[in-house]
């Protein structure tokens, strides 16, 4: 059975943009789309559905899902979609949904947090604990934003896709597989970005240490990418190395991208919402959709 692409919706502009992005991704992957709306006030089972105190959140959930379905059915009539309200707190509900999904897509407000009922620590906990890739999408993201502008610098969906950018910092098969696959699906180029720096105490006048460190980083990046180039021979790959902090290097590289792919280590504890300093900063600063891929 195919895993669906799952989108969390709550009626916010961010979640609607996320659902739209998820619909396009589901079409690219040949997968169904599942929309979910989670709210703590929803009934746990049908026996509680008629209680007065749950009718309002139940009605709201159905209205949000119906509006999202109608919108997407009009835009993507060829896509198979399903929608379901989930009677759990949003964080645990979305983490559970991600377990059975190809990927989870939710809306992001960037510096202001993550939108709608997915605000603050709830969203960060979802990203930190989901066992499948999670894509964060900003409000206002449109199909044309995935494509390069046309010859008159106008937005278009008829032009080639923008690059997929992958932040590469050591071995990470899950991240590279996701990034190469995303580029292949879009017939887009993949830019593998690596930030390097000279450790304190290893640089001195005229000793060539900086050049040696850069050359070593370049060799390691090429070696990491080699098996994935062989697995995805149609993907055009560009290797980019810059000296500096990873957050700054990757943020600059992602400015013209269609999708940024970042790794995050799986958490070994059941609480908290920490995603790692680099991933956390990129979530808040990068304007493009960000895919966070868990890895060991």
């Amino acid at each position: 059975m195919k895993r669906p692409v799952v989108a969390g919706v709550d009626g916010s502009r961010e979640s609607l943009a996320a659902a739209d992005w998820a619909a396009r991704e589901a079409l690219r992957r040949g997968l169904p789309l599942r929309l979910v709306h989670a709210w703590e006030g929803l009934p746990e089972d049908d026996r509680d559905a008629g209680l007065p105190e749950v009718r309002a959140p139940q009605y709201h959930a159905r209205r949000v899902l119906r509006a999202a379905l109608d919108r997407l059915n009009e835009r993507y009539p060829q896509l198979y979609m399903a929608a379901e309200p989930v009677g759990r707190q949003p964080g645990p509900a979305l983490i559970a949904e991600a377990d059975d999904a190809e990927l989870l897509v939710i809306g992001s407000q960037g510096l202001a947090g993550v939108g709608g009922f997915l605000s603050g620590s709830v969203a960060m906990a979802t990203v930190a604990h989901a066992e499948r890739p999670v894509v964060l999408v900003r409000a206002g993201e449109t199909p044309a934003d995935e494509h390069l502008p046309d010859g008159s610098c106008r937005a278009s969906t008829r032009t080639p896709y923008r690059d997929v950018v992958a932040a590469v910092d050591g071995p990470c098969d899950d991240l590279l597989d996701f990034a190469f696959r995303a580029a292949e699906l879009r017939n887009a180029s993949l830019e593998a970005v690596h930030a390097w720096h000279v450790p304190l105490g290893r640089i001195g006048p005229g000793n060539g240490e900086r050049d040696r460190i850069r050359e070593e980083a370049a060799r390691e990046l090429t070696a990491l990418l080699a098996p994935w180039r062989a697995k995805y021979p149609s993907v055009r790959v560009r290797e980019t190395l810059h000296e500096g902090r990873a957050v700054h290097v990757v943020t600059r590289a992602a400015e013209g991208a269609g999708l940024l792919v970042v790794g995050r280590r799986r958490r070994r504890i059941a609480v908290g919402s920490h995603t790692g300093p680099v991933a956390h900063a990129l979530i808040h600063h990068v304007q493009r959709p960000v895919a966070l891929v868990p890895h060991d």
Side-chain angles (χ1 to χ4, degrees):
M1 183 176 177
K2 292 182 177 180
R3 292 175 179 264
V5 174
V6 175
V9 294
D10 63 359
S12 66
R13 292 176 61 242
E14 292 80 14
S15 76
L16 292 176
D20 202 274
W21 191 96
R24 300 193 300 275
E25 187 68 10
L27 283 173
R28 283 188 285 262
R29 293 172 179 262
L31 298 175
L33 174 66
R34 174 175 165 83
L35 303 179
V36 296
H37 176 90
W39 199 269
E40 191 173 6
L42 290 174
E44 293 286 350
D45 55 50
D46 292 340
R47 292 174 299 176
D48 299 327
L51 296 176
E53 60 268 26
V54 300
R55 287 176 185 165
Q58 186 179 59
Y59 172 77
H60 176 75
R62 289 175 176 171
R63 185 178 63 180
V64 166
L65 289 171
R66 173 49 55 191
L69 275 177
D70 289 346
R71 172 189 172 108
L72 295 178
N73 273 320
E74 182 178 351
R75 296 183 177 188
Y76 312 102
Q78 70 275 43
L79 177 62
Y80 177 79
M81 287 177 274
E84 183 179 357
V86 180
R88 298 179 63 184
Q89 293 181 355
L94 290 172
I95 292 169
E97 289 288 337
D99 287 343
D100 297 320
E102 185 70 13
L103 65 152
L104 171 69
V105 188
I106 57 179
S108 171
Q109 291 180 344
L111 285 172
V114 177
F117 66 72
L118 303 177
S119 61
S121 61
V122 172
M124 292 300 100
T126 301
V127 171
H129 293 287
E131 289 295 317
R132 303 290 298 170
V134 178
V135 179
L136 300 176
V137 179
R138 298 288 189 96
E141 178 75 16
T142 69
D145 291 330
E146 296 187 299
H147 294 260
L148 294 167
D150 64 15
S152 302
C153 295
R154 293 178 298 188
S156 173
T157 59
R158 299 178 182 274
T159 55
Y161 279 95
R162 295 176 182 269
D163 291 355
V164 173
V165 172
V168 183
D169 184 21
C172 183
D173 288 349
D174 291 336
L175 179 147
L176 290 173
D177 195 23
F178 186 98
F180 271 85
R181 176 64 171 150
E184 180 184 60
L185 289 168
R186 293 160 172 77
N187 191 26
S189 295
L190 173 65
E191 182 179 6
V193 179
H194 176 72
W196 64 278
H197 68 280
V198 179
L200 292 175
R202 288 189 60 182
I203 190 68
N207 67 1
E209 186 70 3
R210 175 173 277 106
D211 290 340
R212 285 195 291 272
I213 291 174
R214 189 193 185 286
E215 290 170 3
E216 181 181 352
R219 287 194 298 270
E220 290 176 353
L221 180 60
T222 298
L224 284 173
L225 296 175
W228 300 101
R229 287 179 184 266
K231 182 177 180 178
Y232 295 94
S234 65
V235 176
R236 304 174 298 277
V237 182
R238 185 167 68 257
E239 299 177 22
T240 303
L241 293 95
H242 288 290
E243 183 177 6
R245 293 183 59 194
V247 170
H248 298 156
V249 169
V250 176
T251 299
R252 287 195 300 269
E255 287 178 357
L259 176 68
L260 171 64
V261 184
V262 182
R264 68 154 186 84
R265 292 195 177 277
R266 287 188 172 90
R267 294 183 59 81
R268 301 307 181 191
I269 56 175
V271 296
S273 58
H274 187 57
T275 58
V278 174
H280 187 84
L282 291 171
I283 288 170
H284 291 300
H285 289 89
V286 172
Q287 299 295 316
R288 312 303 305 145
V290 180
L292 292 109
V293 182
H295 63 90
D296 295 321

